[in-house]
Amino acid sequence: MTRGAANQRIERGWGRISEGSRPPWKSGASGPGRGDLPGAGFSHGGRRGLKAFPFAVREAAREGPLFHVGLRIKAAILATGLFGLMISSWGQAQVTFERLVNSAKEPQNWMTYSGDYAGKRFSALDQINLANAHTMVAKWVYQTGATGKLETSPLEVDGILYASAQEDRAFALDARTGRPLWMYQRQLPGDIRPCCGRVNRGLAILGDKVFLGTLDAHVIALDAKTGNVVWDRVAADYRTGYSFTVAPLAVKSLVVIGISGGEYGVRGFIDAYDAATGERKWRFYTVPGPGQPGHESWQGDSWKTGGAPAWNTGTYDPATNQIFWPTGNPAPSNRGAGRAGDNLYSNSLLALNADTGTMNWYFQFTKHDEHDWDATQIPVMIEAGGKHLIAQADRNGFFYVIDRTNGKLLSANAYGKTTWSDTKDAEGRPVANSQSSPTLAGRTVCPGALGTTNFMAPTYDPATGLFYVTARDQCDTFSTAPQPYEAGHAYYGSAYFPSEEAEPYTGFLKAIDPATGQIKWKFEHTSPTWSGVLSTGGGLVFSGDAEGNFIAFDAASGKPVWHFQMGGAVYAPPMAFAVDGKQHVAIAAGSAVYAFGLP
Amino acid sequence: MFRAGCMGLLALAMLRIGANADDRNPLAGTAKAAKAGEYEFRINCALCHGLGAHGGGRGPDLTRAVKKHAHSDAEMFQVISNGIPGTAMPANGTNGQGVGMTDEEIWQIITYLRSQEVKVPANAKGNAARGKDLFYGDANCSLCHMVAGKGGRLGPDLTAVGGSRTREAIIDSVRNPSRRLAWGLTEATKEFPQEYESVTVVTADGKQIKGITLNEDSFSVQIMDTSEQIHLLEKDNLKSFQKSRQSAMPTYGTDFLSDKDLEDIVAYLSSVGAK
């Protein structure tokens, strides 16, 4: 890009920023306001300050980023070019597939759910590091106004932070100040069937749109600059238990998304929609129908209500054009009688062709599950010893390392308290023992139904070579009883209860060496947390706790080096970005999104 | 947690005003609805109220015909829908357990509960008046426990316990206080996670403090000592921090408190808690 072109882009950019940032109550302009945002209809605002802007740019260039940023940010600036960075910092550039593939080249941005296609949730930013993390302060707080569990993992692109919240809210914030640019909230029907809270875990971004899966099983594209609905597609009938809570994944020209509803006896699927038009390009049913391979793993008609949802975000390997997407429990979750067989492809990792959705291979973590052990944990792509691997800390208590070229299991080691398996099959897969199957009176099994981990996003730090995951030791009593399927009604086949003997439950942040499966270190929380984990180039690991603390740990030792009390329990993973050359770490807690940085 | 009390009653009064559900259960008395309600109950309610609704560690016995917070079907509907503020009873779909219920499913649960009710409650075995004397006198309960604003602070307030716990649970708590501490709330209802753990700390200046935890996180702890003084401490500044799930409450064996005395105390707590 030439310098002249850059200036033009900057000027256009200023026009936008002026419109967006000018206090509406001063403008006197009226417009079609949206939601709670005062004067949100500012699209006819003026262009005040246009001439002054180039000076501001020069000032920023001299005083700002270049003199204070960490090495990785400097590298990014050099790679992008100074004006490239300036433009991108005003939120103008399109988010192309190439940018998503090469996300490592712009560590100041966080453009996918896990920060990259590999699922590492690793930020190369090192401005905040072991030496200075103890000085971190809160930079801003954004209150969503939502109640319940805020599970969102924000995106940040070119100075704008995009996130979702409960009841299918979405919003865009000035990443420097936390001030909202737009807000969206879907008008949900009164009779939706969210299994586990009216939650949403995040957005995807591609081109000039962000994508939201809704609790009434729609996929929606929003204009990234306004929050306007661009297209809206129905994936399934919510009245029979289908919903979306997952952050979609944008791949090539597609928006890939997996369904929820394993508690309602849905037939799970993974969909891909054309990002531009909303047209559905493919669907992969996670429960194979008659005539398809794997169908024989279901007894009778049980496949029709077999569950196997796909409610956590998968990963993508550009080298092989494969999507790795994990699936959840077979339904009914606590009753195996009536669905004899392995129940493919429940609790599995699927390798799908990104263009067609056809399956290349699968690996099933828990066969014929009766404990609600969805295998929907993030399948993290790691490279080690010249091998292309996937590491997954599974809800069933075992840490699996899989060869992602062929789906073969390389190792499976317990990383928490497990009682359900004493042996492994010929492939090395843990096999359930006879004492783990639920009975009417109830049987105590570890881990409990919540699992050793759950939807909490883990992280892999290439520098330490460690995999960090939130873990829980809790045993539950599993009871089973016959239950007829009735469309739209919860379909558990009975229930589970915390085991009285096993109290209190304990929660940890654990650092696992994928090469050996050994726990390198663990930090015991006061109580189990639902927070995800972030690692950074600063030698730090970040996570939150149920007591409301946001904590920075030494990635090598697990020693806490900083904490901040946010006043609300954490159900979300942290992420990192840099704006104006300053690194931030953000996380949702209570009903708010917090951003932290150096003083 | 033993924290029902007046808040719940006040809330019920408010809910009555705001009631918009049908006054009568449209599914009342139908066997099919009761069966469906049993499934829903196991998924959504049994965690606290126990299988069969006989009461669990955290929730009252719902087979009692006389319920504290809801008498009519419409009141039960409101309590299940909206929870009971100030207690561990959450609003429908917000407790992290189960999936949340449709209106129809709530009516099914009410139908199920009605089918399980024991119409004639067992006569209280004890003498409530004598139990009150014991509570505030020889049994020393009130040194640590409060009922209706009178008594100590070191243990849980027992004003509501007679209505929210089974007789068996209360007796077990007295005979084996360390078997379970005052039941901690599950995370979803963990706004106040007090579990009355016993704690002993030594501060930087060598002072030892013994008491119970009011709250705690990884970096700080809030303690009430045995003379009801509150200490707000940062763990980094302590010389030692030791926590125990051995209850601060002494074990009341039959040599100290006879079965009859205990029945009288339970009768007293029930007489207060049922109000």
Side-chain angles (χ1 to χ4, degrees):
Chain A
M1 181 180 291
T2 67
R3 192 173 170 135
N7 275 326
Q8 284 175 13
R9 293 289 295 278
I10 288 167
E11 288 185 1
R12 282 208 302 278
W14 175 244
R16 297 284 181 184
I17 289 295
S18 173
E19 289 159 16
S21 60
R22 188 162 48 114
W25 54 91
K26 288 184 183 172
S27 74
S30 63
R34 185 185 304 112
D36 301 323
L37 183 63
F42 47 58
S43 59
H44 300 293
R47 285 172 169 254
R48 263 184 282 170
L50 188 65
K51 288 177 182 171
F53 182 65
F55 296 102
V57 170
R58 287 187 212 116
E59 287 300 309
R62 194 166 64 232
E63 302 293 335
L66 285 177
F67 294 92
H68 302 292
V69 294
L71 288 174
R72 313 239 182 197
I73 301 177
K74 283 181 194 168
I77 290 168
L78 292 173
T80 326
L82 174 61
F83 280 93
L85 183 79
M86 288 304 158
I87 290 165
S88 64
S89 73
W90 300 116
Q92 290 301 294
Q94 293 263 331
V95 180
T96 60
F97 172 60
E98 279 63 40
R99 286 182 73 187
L100 297 180
V101 169
N102 298 305
S103 61
K105 290 183 182 168
E106 40 184 309
Q108 73 275 21
N109 288 323
W110 189 276
M111 299 185 288
T112 53
Y113 176 76
S114 295
D116 64 11
Y117 271 141
K120 289 199 292 286
R121 196 165 285 274
F122 169 78
S123 167
L125 300 176
D126 60 0
Q127 193 180 52
I128 299 170
N129 54 49
L130 259 183
N132 61 22
H134 67 280
T135 67
M136 284 175 73
V137 293
K139 291 294 187 180
W140 52 257
V141 183
Y142 175 73
Q143 296 285 352
T144 66
T147 56
K149 297 177 285 185
L150 182 49
E151 298 182 359
T152 192
S153 179
L155 307 174
E156 191 279 347
V157 185
D158 304 337
I160 297 177
L161 186 139
Y162 305 89
S164 62
Q166 295 91 310
E167 275 129 2
D168 296 335
R169 288 167 168 85
F171 48 89
L173 309 178
D174 178 341
R176 297 164 303 173
T177 63
R179 294 294 299 155
L181 307 181
W182 54 257
M183 294 158 67
Y184 165 84
Q185 184 173 1
R186 180 162 179 77
Q187 292 178 18
L188 286 164
D191 54 347
I192 53 170
R193 267 79 161 178
C195 91
C196 315
R198 299 160 82 92
V199 300
N200 187 279
R201 281 183 289 282
L203 308 170
I205 189 166
L206 187 67
D208 57 0
K209 300 181 190 68
V210 296
F211 305 93
L212 172 73
T214 70
L215 291 166
D216 57 345
H218 287 231
V219 183
I220 291 177
L222 302 174
D223 184 294
K225 291 182 181 173
T226 64
N228 294 338
V229 174
V230 181
W231 54 255
D232 175 345
R233 296 289 176 272
V234 184
D237 182 359
Y238 74 86
R239 284 166 296 198
T240 53
Y242 290 90
S243 60
F244 286 117
T245 59
V246 66
L249 185 70
V251 174
K252 291 187 165 177
S253 61
L254 301 175
V255 180
V256 182
I257 190 165
I259 198 73
S260 302
E263 281 64 34
Y264 290 90
V266 301
R267 184 183 177 206
F269 58 79
I270 300 161
D271 276 356
Y273 296 84
D274 185 308
T277 65
E279 183 190 351
R280 198 172 86 205
K281 290 294 188 183
W282 55 257
R283 166 170 292 182
F284 180 85
Y285 276 108
T286 55
V287 179
Q292 295 176 311
H295 182 70
E296 69 288 350
S297 68
W298 295 89
Q299 177 185 351
D301 281 344
S302 61
W303 65 277
K304 290 180 179 171
T305 54
W311 51 266
N312 219 351
T313 308
T315 53
Y316 172 68
D317 186 358
T320 58
N321 193 35
Q322 284 186 112
I323 290 167
F324 303 109
W325 205 283
T327 65
N329 65 277
S333 50
N334 296 136
R335 187 159 187 83
R339 55 172 169 84
D342 285 352
N343 307 140
L344 295 171
Y345 301 99
S346 66
N347 292 347
S348 298
L349 177 63
L350 307 175
L352 306 179
N353 179 299
D355 298 329
T356 62
T358 51
M359 188 176 73
N360 297 329
W361 54 257
Y362 74 92
F363 175 82
Q364 191 174 32
F365 297 93
T366 310
K367 297 183 176 188
H368 188 70
D369 174 30
E370 295 173 298
H371 302 99
D372 202 9
W373 288 333
D374 299 72
T376 45
Q377 292 69 50
I378 307 289
V380 184
M381 292 162 46
I382 64 177
E383 320 300 321
K387 286 191 169 167
H388 306 298
L389 308 173
I390 278 180
Q392 198 230 46
D394 197 273
R395 185 160 165 175
N396 71 16
F398 285 85
F399 180 81
Y400 295 79
V401 179
I402 293 163
D403 184 336
R404 72 170 186 264
T405 63
N406 56 21
K408 299 293 180 204
L409 177 65
L410 298 179
S411 65
N413 292 287
Y415 69 100
K417 189 173 179 183
T418 60
T419 61
W420 66 275
S421 174
D422 320 304
T423 55
K424 291 179 177 173
D425 66 14
E427 297 173 74
R429 177 191 353 243
V431 178
N433 59 38
S434 61
Q435 291 304 301
S436 61
S437 198
T439 60
L440 178 61
R443 227 173 208 170
T444 299
V445 178
C446 321
L450 300 178
T452 306
T453 194
N454 200 297
F455 62 80
M456 309 77 128
T459 181
Y460 175 74
D461 179 348
T464 60
L466 296 175
F467 185 104
Y468 305 88
V469 63
T470 295
R472 159 194 297 260
D473 281 347
Q474 173 177 337
C475 309
D476 281 350
T477 302
F478 291 87
S479 165
T480 188
Q483 177 183 356
Y485 169 79
E486 206 176 327
H489 289 260
Y491 187 48
Y492 281 37
S494 213
Y496 60 87
F497 320 93
S499 165
E500 299 286 3
E501 289 74 31
E503 286 185 291
Y505 329 126
T506 47
F508 305 90
L509 174 59
K510 292 187 176 181
I512 303 172
D513 181 352
T516 62
Q518 299 301 300
I519 311 287
K520 258 314 237 229
W521 57 255
K522 65 181 179 186
F523 174 85
E524 184 172 348
H525 291 291
T526 306
S527 71
T529 176
W530 291 89
S531 174
V533 197
L534 165 77
S535 59
T536 73
L540 297 168
V541 169
F542 291 88
S543 192
D545 71 21
E547 289 74 34
N549 289 297
F550 188 42
I551 309 169
F553 299 90
D554 179 344
S557 70
K559 184 180 180 299
V561 294
W562 169 86
H563 63 271
F564 181 92
Q565 172 57 242
M566 299 184 289
V570 180
Y571 290 90
M575 48 78 76
F577 62 91
V579 61
D580 292 345
K582 292 177 179 143
Q583 183 183 350
H584 290 65
V585 183
I587 189 167
S591 30
V593 177
Y594 292 75
F596 300 90
L598 295 174
Chain B
M1 298 295 292
F2 303 100
R3 291 194 166 260
C6 302
M7 288 284 286
L9 293 172
L10 178 64
L12 180 59
M14 292 165 68
L15 291 175
R16 272 179 175 162
I17 294 163
N20 55 5
D22 300 341
D23 286 343
R24 294 179 54 81
N25 180 357
L27 308 174
T30 58
K32 189 180 174 219
K35 190 68 191 168
E38 184 179 2
Y39 301 134
E40 294 293 334
F41 187 89
R42 290 173 74 102
I43 291 169
N44 291 285
C45 317
L47 173 75
C48 296
H49 294 286
L51 284 175
H54 290 292
R58 297 173 180 84
D61 180 350
L62 297 178
T63 65
R64 295 176 190 172
V66 179
K67 296 178 178 59
K68 179 167 178 158
H69 294 284
H71 303 288
S72 70
D73 286 357
E75 287 168 349
M76 287 176 75
F77 187 95
Q78 292 294 357
V79 163
I80 295 170
S81 298
N82 301 317
I84 305 172
T87 76
M89 175 70 186
N92 175 31
T94 65
N95 64 344
Q97 181 80 5
V99 295
M101 294 164 279
T102 62
D103 287 2
E104 180 195 12
E105 289 167 343
I106 293 175
W107 288 126
Q108 288 169 345
I109 283 192
I110 294 167
T111 309
Y112 165 66
L113 289 175
R114 294 298 188 204
S115 76
Q116 296 298 302
E117 278 175 357
V118 179
K119 299 300 177 195
V120 184
N123 289 327
K125 291 178 184 170
N127 176 332
R130 185 166 174 275
K132 182 179 183 181
D133 289 343
L134 284 165
F135 186 90
Y136 286 105
D138 289 349
N140 288 333
C141 309
S142 65
L143 294 182
C144 297
H145 294 284
M146 203 172 269
V147 168
K150 197 175 158 209
R153 299 184 174 94
L154 205 57
D157 185 319
L158 300 181
T159 309
V161 73
S164 61
R165 297 289 179 272
T166 61
R167 168 183 167 273
E168 291 71 23
I170 296 172
I171 288 173
D172 189 47
S173 298
V174 175
R175 294 290 187 217
N176 305 291
S178 296
R179 188 202 299 276
R180 252 188 253 107
L181 298 176
W183 283 280
L185 299 178
T186 60
E187 291 154 324
T189 48
K190 197 184 160 173
E191 290 82 5
F192 203 77
Q194 184 175 19
E195 238 193 321
Y196 298 91
E197 292 168 300
S198 304
V199 65
T200 304
V201 304
V202 178
T203 59
D205 56 5
K207 189 174 140 200
Q208 189 189 65
I209 301 167
K210 283 186 147 188
I212 51 109
T213 56
L214 296 176
N215 207 345
E216 183 196 358
D217 69 6
S218 288
F219 308 102
S220 72
V221 61
Q222 294 75 34
I223 294 172
M224 179 180 284
D225 72 18
T226 47
S227 26
E228 299 188 351
Q229 296 300 304
I230 288 178
H231 302 267
L232 312 175
L233 303 166
E234 287 184 47
K235 289 182 175 176
D236 272 356
N237 298 336
L238 297 175
K239 270 188 183 159
S240 77
F241 173 77
Q242 285 185 311
K243 220 171 47 166
S244 163
R245 296 183 72 79
Q246 190 69 31
S247 175
M249 174 167 158
T251 298
Y252 281 73
T254 48
D255 51 339
F256 183 77
L257 191 70
S258 71
D259 286 341
K260 182 185 179 308
D261 289 350
L262 184 48
E263 287 291 357
D264 290 346
I265 290 171
V266 170
Y268 166 60
L269 293 174
S270 299
S271 71
V272 178
K275 283 176 190 166

